[in-house]
Amino acid sequence: MSSRWLPSVNSEAAKLTLVAITASVVTLSAVELFRLAQARSRREELRRRAREDVYGLEEGKSTDDKQSVLDVVENAAKSLDDFLQEQAGNTGYDETLIREQLARNYSFFGEEAMNKVRKGRVVVVGCGGVGSWAAVMLVRSGVSSLRLVDFDMVTLSSLNRHAVAELADVGTPKVLACKKFFEKVAPWAEIEARQEIWQPGKQGESLLEGDVDWVIDAIDNINTKVELLKYCRKRGIKVFASMGAGAKCDPTRVQISDISNTYEDPLARSVRRGLRQDGIVDGIPVVYSTEVPGDVKLLPLPEHEVSKGAVNELGPFDNFRVRILPVLGPLPSIFGLHIATYIICELAGKPILNPLANRNRKKLYEKLLRDLTAREAKVAGNNGIPERLPIDENDIAFIFEDLHRGRTIVPPHLIPQRPLLSRWDVTEPLSVENCVVLAQEDIKRLDAAGGRGVDVPEWSHGTPGEVVTAIVDKRIEEARAWLRAIG
């Protein structure tokens, strides 16, 4: 060491100081080396105990015929569950850890909003492909009280779309598979698993009892879905419904809107019609897809199942589908994530105020109304001067979407490039029940018959007049039933 660095090292005090510093460095190094050795020893001990206690294996031995792979997995799962229960139940989960786990959500929403989210109480009815994804993201985002309702079991085919189910969960209730996973993710959360089917009546009321902030409808049965939505609306319970995720593949078509503004979704159409019969036309947010239904259909029942009797006798409950609708795994998750995001923002007091709906549909209704107004002016002989019609844009939407399914009244019920509305019988006043969807070619046939559909001998595609008349009569009855329901 140069004299430039230690110019006064000759003094006895400086020498003693240098010796003390060197000894301290050596001591600290020895302590650190000892700590590292202890850590390595602990790791080895933990590895040995894991083999013995969790997997049931002794050091140096592997599984034999007496120790199946399934036993190993079950032992591991049980040990992990016991550990988590001990941590959550005995020692609690420290608030500091909770806030650290939810740090990104706190950064996004802020303190006050996150307090609201954490106090949220949500009931998830249906814990399959859609419901499980909605529920898991609610838990991960801080919602601390969930009630899970589903009667069904996890099957092997569930694993292509379920959020949390594993092979070890096959044959167990979906609600328990979710509860087990959620308690690992958020030990502080209150998860109630109810392996039941929601039905109207006292049993259904008990599943929705308590101070519930939101209900998620992830049911795939139309009748039960409609009944649940009616129940919630009549009692002022906020409910978010999932429409059809099956047989869809285009994620860019998935969106949130009010139930009244849905289209190209057969399940949504059936739900709208069921709700209208009880006078409910809007006020329920839904996630749905605008993807035009393709060639993917319900799988046919095997012959040996058909031979057992009526189809409605083959399901576990009355009115439950027994055939399988093909599902592309990612689509239900996208639906569920839409639901979770919407509800989290609502709970936080920062709602999505104006979900982006497909505005082209509104323009279509406006155009249909304009064209119908112009046609009515000609029929009335007002020199082309339009008068106010007895139906409005909402009626147009019902006539086009719900009553006639967005297709012409003439088989094979194609989607016309330029759909037009017209009176079916020019001698009767224009009304919801006396209005049909036709293509331009069939409008000409109607006009040639004097404006009375019953007098058209043959429509496009060689369709006999009586066939179309029978279809129209059935639609008229549907329209009258709707008018009675809302009247």
Side-chain angles (χ1 to χ4, degrees), residues 273-284:
R273 295 171 69 186
L275 292 174
R276 283 179 187 274
Q277 292 178 4
D278 233 38
I280 301 172
V281 296
D282 56 18
I284 300 175

Side-chain angles (χ1 to χ4, degrees), residues 199-375:
Q199 291 180 324
K202 290 187 177 181
Q203 180 264 359
E205 293 177 9
S206 69
L207 293 176
L208 302 182
E209 65 184 0
D211 189 15
V212 176
D213 294 301
W214 276 91
V215 171
I216 294 176
D217 158 38
I219 305 172
D220 58 3
N221 175 263
I222 297 175
N223 294 337
T224 309
K225 178 182 287 287
V226 170
E227 290 299 326
L228 175 61
L229 297 179
K230 288 180 181 178
Y231 181 93
C232 291
R233 275 301 308 275
K234 290 178 179 179
R235 289 159 180 78
I237 302 173
K238 294 181 180 179
V239 59
F240 193 112
S242 172
M243 297 295 108
K248 303 291 177 67
C249 67
D250 188 351
T252 67
R253 301 281 183 170
V254 181
Q255 60 180 287
I256 292 173
S257 76
D258 188 85
I259 183 66
S260 62
N261 196 33
T262 56
Y263 66 96
E264 298 294 3
D265 187 318
L267 178 58
R269 180 183 300 119
S270 298
V271 171
R272 284 199 309 268
R273 295 171 69 186
L275 292 174
R276 283 179 187 274
Q277 292 178 4
D278 233 38
I280 301 172
V281 296
D282 56 18
I284 300 175
V286 303
V287 57
Y288 77 108
S289 172
T290 61
E291 182 178 349
V292 177
D295 298 330
V296 181
K297 307 294 183 183
L298 276 171
L299 298 180
L301 276 173
E303 187 61 34
H304 70 275
E305 290 290 342
V306 176
S307 64
K308 294 179 182 178
V311 172
N312 61 2
E313 296 175 358
L314 302 179
F317 297 97
D318 291 342
N319 300 319
F320 265 72
R321 62 177 174 83
V322 292
R323 291 190 294 165
I324 298 172
L325 183 65
V327 179
L328 188 62
L331 265 295
S333 69
I334 295 172
F335 274 57
L337 297 178
H338 274 67
I339 296 172
T341 303
Y342 185 96
I343 290 180
I344 291 165
C345 291
E346 285 281 333
L347 290 173
K350 298 185 178 181
I352 302 172
L353 297 175
N354 187 26
L356 180 62
N358 193 310
R359 297 178 181 178
N360 291 336
R361 213 59 174 181
K362 181 175 176 57
K363 291 180 179 179
L364 172 61
Y365 303 150
E366 292 172 350
K367 186 176 187 307
L368 287 171
L369 185 59
R370 286 198 305 270
D371 290 345
L372 179 60
T373 302
R375 180 171 174 77

Side-chain angles (χ1 to χ4, degrees), residues 44-55:
E44 293 298 329
E45 176 66 13
L46 287 173
R47 187 178 295 113
R48 182 188 65 79
R49 290 175 58 187
R51 289 179 60 81
E52 293 182 1
D53 298 339
V54 178
Y55 296 100

